[in-house]
Amino acid sequence: MAEIDADTVLPAEHIQQAVASGRVSQLHRGDQYADEGDTFDISGKTFEVVEVTERKLGDLTNEDAQAEGSEDLDGYRERLNHAHDHFEWDDDVTVYRHRFERQE
């Protein structure tokens, strides 16, 4: 358990602001960037990484997409295609879900 920089797990300012506002409560990444129990601060608010889970892209659901700020899984796929050059959705690719909660 460590205090980490928000940039470590949340790679863009707009994602950090979405987390701070409560619109985003998890993020899938290609690698594991935090451990359960790690904390980070955004705009004076502290968040704890409460779960890190290895998954396959094909396991993601509409609920996962919504927790990441997309309307549904199709919108999430479009967002990934837009954000990453040469991205192709592959159901068998391993990703890591980083789920976090605001601490009081």
Side-chain angles (χ1 to χ4, degrees):
M1 179 161 70
E3 186 172 331
I4 61 173
D5 190 309
D7 292 339
T8 302
V9 70
L10 308 171
E13 178 66 27
H14 72 277
I15 296 171
Q16 292 178 24
Q17 293 311 310
V19 170
S21 71
R23 292 189 323 263
V24 171
S25 60
Q26 70 181 30
L27 191 66
H28 284 82
R29 306 281 313 268
D31 291 305
Q32 183 174 341
Y33 289 92
D35 293 310
E36 292 177 11
D38 287 352
T39 59
F40 57 89
D41 290 334
I42 303 172
S43 303
K45 300 173 185 173
T46 300
F47 295 84
E48 180 179 351
V49 178
V50 295
E51 181 181 25
V52 178
T53 310
E54 183 177 319
R55 307 175 74 197
K56 299 289 184 187
L57 274 178
D59 295 334
L60 274 64
T61 65
N62 281 328
E63 291 78 18
D64 288 313
Q66 291 165 354
E68 293 198 32
S70 294
E71 185 173 321
D72 57 24
L73 195 53
D74 288 335
Y76 181 71
R77 285 183 183 139
E78 287 178 29
R79 196 173 94 210
L80 289 179
N81 283 330
H82 179 72
H84 302 286
D85 293 335
H86 311 291
F87 176 80
E88 284 189 38
W89 187 276
D90 179 345
D91 284 346
D92 294 324
V93 167
T94 298
V95 292
Y96 295 84
R97 175 177 55 194
H98 301 78
R99 195 169 62 80
F100 26 84
E101 295 176 353
R102 183 171 175 202
Q103 301 301 296
E104 299 301 321

